[in-house]
Every structure is written in structure tokens, then in C-alpha cells.
RNA sequence: GCCACCAUGGCUCAGUCGGUAGAGCAGCGCAUUCGUAAUGCGCGGGUCAAGGGUUCGAGUCCCUUUGGUGGCUCCA
């Protein structure tokens, strides 16, 4: 007999060799029905796995992470089986579950069209109906290679398995795949699925390798869940910043201007101004100095900085002026360094904190451009800190705290922090510098009571960094903030300061961007609020709607008073019905609408409609002004 | 850059088998003076992304280019 400890802490005895599904049935038929896998001592296993020793067992349903992974992984096998039936010449690569569903990579002469996906879906439906049991078995390396002799990618995978690895396969009907599992017990367990899209993907994610065809899909135990998921995607589309940007007339791109270059329309620019105003105010309050630098610089500058060596493929081609090459800047750092180099510095003057909303241009591959989130010309909210080594831990903490408070101001309180460490292959700076800097970064995160994931080897070649990715309302992550050490440029530009003992010392240099780039941040912010900016950010904060012509003068008076208090206000005095104008203001997502008619004119009040709560009654003009001014001040 | 898909008035979209382009919204004009999500009538507006090809004839079929979308690689 073996002792099995269940999730609720209870311990049950079973005969040795009892399978997980049998235990599930023993607990309840209902549980057995919804169980998709079992977690044995923390490892996700097939339900058919026999248990031979005492263990902890957690039965997983689709709702758990491991359950989803199992469910989706099995669906990907069903898809591969369908593809093999329809297109026997296709070679199989890999087909894992991912965050939202699964994919399978195929090597195929023929490219899959949307119609093919429909046909594959129909075949999958058959396989599910046929309800093949899914069996696991293991083979020796030789047998495995023999079985997979027509599958070159599988052979490559088998050959790379460690010497002592167990080589397992899963069989369902005529289809067998090399796979570590786990899987559901039979193909009939998949209830609702959909193939989402075809995409190219390099074998093993390396662009030097062959491009395979990837098909993405997702599945659920209930049809209603699939419907919900699709509805969720439609909702996401409604708050897509590109769509909102057009609808709210905030920004656009223009084919004639060029790809990845943003033009900011008056309303978008107004929101941007608000962001920048706050940014400037906060930087001055936090001990930064603001600087301005040019957009281009001589080739020699970029030679010295190392950009022409390490970064040239991301830079716009040079322009020749007076027989010299000038490059448009992809980064601001060399210019800030030039400020530093302009004179001799004492340790007493450190640290320097120089910030700039610096517009940079980078050549990004055409296929990666994406709305405002990936562009070729953008403005970084950049700053460079120059400090003595002993000041460094303090500076890091300070900048991290500043960063988080800035994100908070914009309504972002959920984010994920990554600590990116020394890359394996190439890096500059000695071990001690890396260790000190990495430790300082990690300690700063801890000191703020935060957690971070380690991005092993993810640092820049010139230093470790903290990246902060913010999540929008739909849980998608976007990297905005970054705090990066630089061991490279102080060396290359031979930066020094005079220490207390009169010796020349090398300062530490930190690059940092809190919002990242204004463009990307604006895009994320727009999606975060679904276009409904809080009053302090909204391009039009108040819309005054006089009911009739005779109310216009009073409306103007109110608007003027609001403008005196720096409130952005528009008057909609068009000869349209009130419902029409309310509707438009509502669609423009204006936070407050003021309806002015006879009643208001007589009593000196305004009738207030809030975007969110509808008609909220009337109040005196002054009461409304102080209300809205206060909301703007406190970022309510 | 690579794989797939897409491009029709300002916007959203229809356009069958290849036979010379249509709607709604927006815009403009007129009427309407109205109390919280669309007042009515009328008018104007398109070299069907660009270029080439097939054809008696191309929005529709083929090729190239440009731009975009979803991925891959890369990144703020």
C-alpha cells in the first residue's frame, strides 16, 4: 500500500500501482470527469500514470496552469494528426502549449491558407469524435530513431536528448509523436477548439534556420468558454490603441512620410503635453537637471561611443555634409556624455542627473513595426546618471522609487520587474563591476519590497539592467521602464572625476527611461484606459453644450471661467439636438458635459453629465469649477 | 528581413461567373429652436494603394512595388 497526500492535506491509502485517474474516481466521479492531469510531487503527469510510492497528489482541472497546458498540448497533437492525414508529406517540428493555447510547427512545401485551416479543423473534429485513447510508451534511442526515421526534426531532437533521458512517445490512433507529455486520456476530451492563424516561424527560433509554418490554436472544455475567449479578443480589438487613435483623432502614420513615423494630431498632442508637463515637473522635483541636445552628430562621435561598432544596423544611413558623415541619433547618451566632458568634475559635484525628452531614430526591420508600440522615430524620456561607485546603490534605489511613483501617477500599479544579468558571450567591464552593479539592482528591488524575475544573460553587453514591463487592462505586457548600467561608454570616452585624494577616478554611468518612449507609453496608456482618459489627461476635459442660441453667451462665460483655471474646454453650439451632441461628446470620451438651458441661465448653475455616470444633476458654476480643478490636481 | 494575409469615397464596409462602382456614417446646403447616446430633406465626393501584364473588356485573374495586419527573429 502507498500513502497519497491530497491537496486538502488528507492522506489516503491505495494499492501500489493505482493510477491517478482511479484515485480521482475514488474521490468523486465528478472530479474524475473534469480532471485533465495529476500533479505528483509538483510534477504534472498523465492521469493514467500508476503511483508506486508515497506522494503528494494534486488533481488538475483545466482551470489550473498545468491543466491548461496539458489540454492545449493534446489539442496540438490532434492538429498534427489532422495535418498528417491531409498532407502526408509534411514534416513535424514541435508543438507545445503556450500562454494562450498552442501551436505546432510544420515543414511543408505547401503553405497553409485560411481555407486549409478550416479543412484541418474539420479533420480534427473527426479525430475527436473517433475518441482515440492516448497511450504513452518509451523506447530506446535506437528504436526511437528507427520509429522517427522519416521525421528529420524529431531525429534532431532525439539526438540532442541527454544520454540518460527517457525517450517517450504518445500514440493516438495511427499518429505517434515524440513527446514528454503529459496528455489527456483520449482525443475525445477536447470539446471546443479553434485554429487562430498561420504564421512563419524559424526552426528553433533562429533566423538562419529554415522557416517553418506555424499554426496557432486554442481549445476549451466548454463551447461557452471558447465563445467567451473570442469575445474577449473582440473587446481587446475595441481598445486597440491604433483603432482608438483613429477614432479619437489622436495620431496617425502616413505612407508618404514613411513607416514607423508618427504624426501627433492636436488632441493626441494635448495628451502628450500633459504627460510631458508632469514628467518635467517630477524630474525637477527629484533632483534632475534638464538638458537639450542635437538630433545628429558626426561619425567620430558614434565611432567613439561604440555605436558604429555595435549598433550600426539599427542606425539610419549617414548624411554627408562638408565631406563629413553625420548620423541621426539612435540614442542620447553620447550627447549627455559630451556635456560631462565639457569640464573637469569634482567628486563633490556628483551625482549628476541629466534628463532629456530626446527624440531618436532607429532603423527597425519593416516586419516588426507595430502602431505606436514599435516605431522608427520616438522620444525617449531619457536620463543619464553619473556617480561615484559608492553612490551607486543609493542612486539605483532612488531611480527605482522614482520610476514606480511615475508609473503610479499614470494609473499603472501592476507591473513585472526583470533583472537582466551578464550575457554569456560578449560583455565589457570586469567581473567585480558586474557583480556590484547586479547586486545593487537586486537590492534596490528588494529594498522597495518588490519581486523580480531574473532574466539570465539578458543584460546589455555594457551592463546589467532592470526592465519594468507594465500590463495593460488586458494583461498584455509591454516593456517601458529600463534602468541600465553602462561600463562601456565611461571607458570609451575616458570619463573621470577628481576624487578626495586628488586622483582621477572613473564615474559609474546609468541610463534610464521611466516611461520608455513617449510613443509606446502613450499607446499602452491609451489601451489601459480604453481611450477614456481620466480628466487630468483627457484632451478635452469639459464640453459645454448650450441648449439653444440664447444660451450661448452664458456657455461662453462658463467656458472662459474654466479656461482661466487651465481646464481644456470646448463649446458645442451646433444647431443639433441635445441628444445628438451628448452622443458625440460621449463617443469622444469627454469626461464632463455641461448642459446649459433656461434653468441654468436663471439660477447660474450648470447641469453636469459625467461620461461615466451620466446625468449627475446640477450645481453652481463655481462648484463645478472647483470640482473639476480638484480632480485635475489630484489626478482623480 | 522572413512566412501568411489584407488594401474599394474622410471612416466602416458591400461589390456574384471578368462586362466600365454602391450603402451607412462623416462633409456641405436648406429646413427645424429642441432638456442628457443619432431631426428631416437635398447635394458633392472614388484613376478601386501604385506600376506592369493577360483579355475584346480587369475593382475582380497574374507579376512587381508601396503601405498595413498576425506571427518569427530583433527591440523603447
Amino acid at each position: 500500500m502507498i500513502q497519497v497526500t491530497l491537496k486538502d492535506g488528507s492522506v489516503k491509502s491505495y494499492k501500489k500501482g493505482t493510477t491517478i485517474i482511479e484515485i480521482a474516481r475514488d474521490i468523486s466521479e465528478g472530479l474524475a470527469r473534469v480532471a485533465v492531469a495529476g500533479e505528483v510531487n509538483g510534477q504534472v503527469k498523465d492521469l493514467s500514470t500508476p503511483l508506486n510510492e508515497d506522494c503528494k497528489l494534486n488533481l488538475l482541472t483545466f482551470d489550473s496552469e498545468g491543466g491548461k497546458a496539458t489540454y492545449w498540448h493534446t489539442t496540438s497533437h490532434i492538429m498534427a494528426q489532422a495535418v498528417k492525414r491531409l498532407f502526408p508529406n509534411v514534416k513535424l517540428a514541435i508543438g507545445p502549449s503556450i500562454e494562450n493555447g498552442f501551436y505546432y510547427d510544420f515543414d511543408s512545401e505547401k503553405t497553409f491558407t485560411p481555407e486549409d485551416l478550416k479543412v484541418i479543423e474539420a479533420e480534427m473534429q473527426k479525430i475527436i469524435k473517433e475518441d482515440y485513447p492516448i497511450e504513452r510508451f518509451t523506447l530506446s534511442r535506437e528504436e526511437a530513431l528507427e520509429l522517427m526515421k522519416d521525421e528529420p526534426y524529431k531525429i534532431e531532437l532525439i539526438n540532442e536528448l541527454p544520454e540518460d533521458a527517457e525517450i517517450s512517445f504518445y500514440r493516438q490512433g495511427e499518429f505517434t509523436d515524440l513527446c514528454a507529455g503529459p496528455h489527456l486520456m483520449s482525443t475525445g476530451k477536447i470539446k471546443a477548439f479553434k485554429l487562430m492563424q498561420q504564421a512563419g516561424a524559424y526552426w528553433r527560433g533562429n533566423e538562419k534556420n529554415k522557416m517553418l509554418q506555424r499554426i496557432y490554436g486554442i481549445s476549451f472544455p466548454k463551447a461557452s468558454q471558447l465563445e467567451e475567449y473570442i469575445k474577449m479578443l473582440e473587446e481587446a480589438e475595441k481598445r486597440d490603441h491604433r483603432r482608438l487613435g483613429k477614432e479619437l483623432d489622436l495620431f496617425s502614420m502616413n505612407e508618404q512620410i514613411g513607416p514607423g513615423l508618427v504624426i501627433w494630431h492636436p488632441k493626441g498632442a494635448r495628451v502628450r503635453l500633459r504627460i510631458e508637463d508632469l514628467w518635467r515637473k517630477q524630474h525637477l522635483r527629484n533632483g534632475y537637471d534638464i538638458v537639450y541636445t542635437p538630433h545628429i552628430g558626426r561619425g567620430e562621435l558614434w565611432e567613439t561611443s561604440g555605436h558604429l561598432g555595435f549598433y550600426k544596423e539599427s542606425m539610419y544611413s549617414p548624411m554627408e555634409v562638408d565631406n563629413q558623415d553625420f548620423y541621426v541619433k539612435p540614442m542620447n547618451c553620447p550627447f549627455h556624455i559630451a556635456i560631462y566632458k565639457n569640464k573637469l568634475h569634482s567628486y563633490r559635484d556628483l551625482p549628476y542627473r541629466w534628463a532629456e525628452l530626446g527624440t531618436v531614430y532607429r532603423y527597425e526591420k519593416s516586419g516588426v513595426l507595430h502602431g505606436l508600440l514599435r516605431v522608427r522615430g520616438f522620444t525617449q524620456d531619457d536620463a543619464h546618471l553619473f556617480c561615484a561607485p559608492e553612490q551607486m546603490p543609493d542612486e539605483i534605489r532612488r531611480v527605482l522609487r522614482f520610476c514606480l511613483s511615475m508609473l503610479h501617477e499614470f494609473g499603472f500599479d501592476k507591473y513585472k520587474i526583470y533583472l537582466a544579468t551578464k550575457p554569456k558571450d560578449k560583455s565589457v567591464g570586469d567581473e567585480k563591476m558586474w557583480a556590484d552593479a547586479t547586486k545593487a539592482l537586486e537590492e534596490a528591488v528588494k529594498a522597495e519590497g518588490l519581486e523580480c524575475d531574473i532574466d539570465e544573460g539578458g543584460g546589455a553587453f555594457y551592463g546589467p539592467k532592470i526592465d519594468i514591463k507594465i500590463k495593460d487592462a488586458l494583461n498584455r505586457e509591454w516593456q517601458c521602464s529600463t534602468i541600465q548600467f553602462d561600463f562601456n561608454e565611461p571607458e570609451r570616452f575616458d570619463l573621470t572625476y577628481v576624487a578626495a585624494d586628488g586622483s582621477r577616478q572613473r564615474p559609474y554611468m546609468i541610463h534610464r527611461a521611466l516611461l520608455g518612449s513617449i510613443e509606446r507609453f502613450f499607446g499602452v496608456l491609451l489601451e489601459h484606459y480604453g481611450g477614456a482618459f481620466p480628466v487630468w489627461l483627457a484632451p478635452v476635459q469639459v464640453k459645454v453644450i448650450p441648449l439653444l442660441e440664447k444660451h450661448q453667451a452664458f456657455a461662453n462665460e462658463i467656458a472662459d471661467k474654466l479656461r482661466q483655471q487651465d481646464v481644456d474646454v470646448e463649446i458645442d453650439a451646433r444647431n443639433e439636438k441635445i441628444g445628438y451632441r451628448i452622443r458625440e461628446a460621449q463617443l469622444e470620451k469627454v469626461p464632463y458635459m455641461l448642459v446649459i438651458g433656461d434653468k441654468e441661465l436663471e439660477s447660474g448653475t450648470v447641469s453636469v453629465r459625467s461620461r461615466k455616470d451620466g446625468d449627475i444633476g446640477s450645481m453652481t458654476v463655481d462648484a463645478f469649477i472647483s470640482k473639476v480643478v480638484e480632480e485635475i490636481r489630484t489626478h482623480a
Side-chain angles (χ1 to χ4, degrees), chain A residues 11 24 50 54 58 80 158 160 169 189 234 499 505 539:
Chain A
V11 180
D54 293 357
N58 182 13
I158 293 169
E160 285 174 20
F169 289 84
K189 295 282 180 194
E234 282 163 6
Q505 297 295 329

Side-chain angles (χ1 to χ4, degrees), chain A residues 11 49 57 63 72 88 120 125 131 187 242 257 265 272 283 364 385 402 478 509 540 560 571 592 594 619:
Chain A
V11 180
T49 309
L57 174 66
D63 296 326
W72 287 334
I120 295 167
Q125 203 63 63
D131 196 17
T187 59
R242 291 164 299 188
I257 293 173
H265 300 194
R272 176 171 174 162
H283 276 73
E364 300 283 355
L385 314 177
F402 184 24
W478 301 100
M509 177 176 163
V540 178
D560 273 343
I571 299 180
Y592 287 111
L594 302 182
M619 58 182 85

Side-chain angles (χ1 to χ4, degrees), chain A residues 593-596 599-600 603-609 614-621 623-624 627:
Chain A
M593 290 149 259
L594 302 182
V595 177
I596 312 297
K599 263 191 297 181
E600 289 72 22
S603 57
T605 59
V606 289
S607 178
V608 185
R609 182 188 166 97
D615 192 345
I616 57 172
S618 64
M619 58 182 85
T620 65
V621 175
F624 176 74
K627 172 183 162 67

Side-chain angles (χ1 to χ4, degrees), chain A residues 319-538:
Chain A
M319 59 190 105
E320 199 195 286
V321 178
D322 290 344
N323 294 317
Q324 296 184 43
D325 279 350
F326 284 79
Y327 287 85
V328 178
K329 66 178 171 184
M331 293 189 193
N332 302 300
C333 35
F335 297 91
H336 294 189
I337 287 171
I339 298 174
Y340 188 93
K341 292 273 295 176
N342 190 50
K343 68 173 197 179
L344 193 60
H345 298 285
S346 157
Y347 72 98
R348 296 172 194 275
D349 299 325
L350 299 179
Y352 290 110
R353 306 186 192 101
W354 292 334
E356 174 178 15
L357 290 167
T359 303
V360 298
Y361 292 86
R362 297 182 184 173
Y363 171 75
E364 300 283 355
K365 288 177 178 176
S366 60
V368 307
L369 300 174
H370 178 93
L372 290 181
L373 302 177
R374 191 79 183 271
V375 292
R376 284 187 175 158
F378 56 99
T379 300
Q380 293 183 301
D381 71 314
D382 211 355
H384 295 90
L385 314 177
F386 300 89
C387 66
E390 62 274 15
Q391 293 173 321
M392 182 264 284
D394 224 44
E395 281 304 305
I396 294 288
R397 277 198 66 172
R398 200 188 159 103
V399 71
L400 181 62
R401 203 175 307 148
F402 184 24
C403 181
L404 299 180
S405 82
M406 188 73 99
L407 294 180
H408 177 75
E409 297 251 27
F410 289 99
F412 292 109
D413 290 311
K414 280 196 297 180
Y415 30 72
K416 200 147 179 198
I417 305 178
Y418 295 85
L419 175 61
T421 61
K422 189 177 173 192
K424 280 197 190 74
D425 35 356
K426 63 174 180 183
S427 62
V428 302
D430 62 46
E431 286 297 333
K432 183 174 159 31
M433 285 171 107
W434 275 90
D436 285 356
T438 309
K439 192 162 154 249
L441 291 174
E442 193 172 2
E443 277 175 359
V445 173
K446 279 197 189 133
E448 294 304 308
L450 300 160
E451 287 181 4
C452 66
D453 284 7
I454 306 291
D455 179 5
E456 198 63 53
F461 74 90
Y462 50 77
K465 58 177 183 165
I466 292 174
D467 288 331
I468 300 180
K469 300 187 183 191
I470 31 185
K471 286 186 167 181
D472 66 12
L474 284 156
N475 249 14
R476 292 175 295 196
E477 275 188 356
W478 301 100
Q479 191 202 315
C480 291
S481 319
T482 184
I483 302 171
Q484 313 183 340
F485 264 90
D486 190 340
F487 304 138
N488 181 50
E489 285 178 299
E491 197 76 35
R492 287 178 160 268
F493 282 97
D494 191 27
L495 301 188
T496 60
Y497 66 92
V498 181
D501 62 2
S503 65
R504 298 286 177 112
Q505 297 295 329
R506 182 89 65 220
Y508 272 16
M509 177 176 163
I510 298 159
H511 309 244
R512 46 111 282 190
L514 306 187
L515 310 178
S517 85
I518 303 291
E519 284 74 6
R520 175 176 290 181
F521 188 77
F522 182 83
V524 177
L525 193 66
L526 186 52
E527 296 196 359
H528 178 73
Y529 287 120
F533 288 113
V535 198
W536 74 278
L537 279 168

Side-chain angles (χ1 to χ4, degrees), chain A residues 216-227:
Chain A
Y216 286 94
I218 194 156
S219 58
F220 295 95
K222 287 187 193 156
S224 62
Q225 289 169 306
L226 178 61
E227 279 165 32

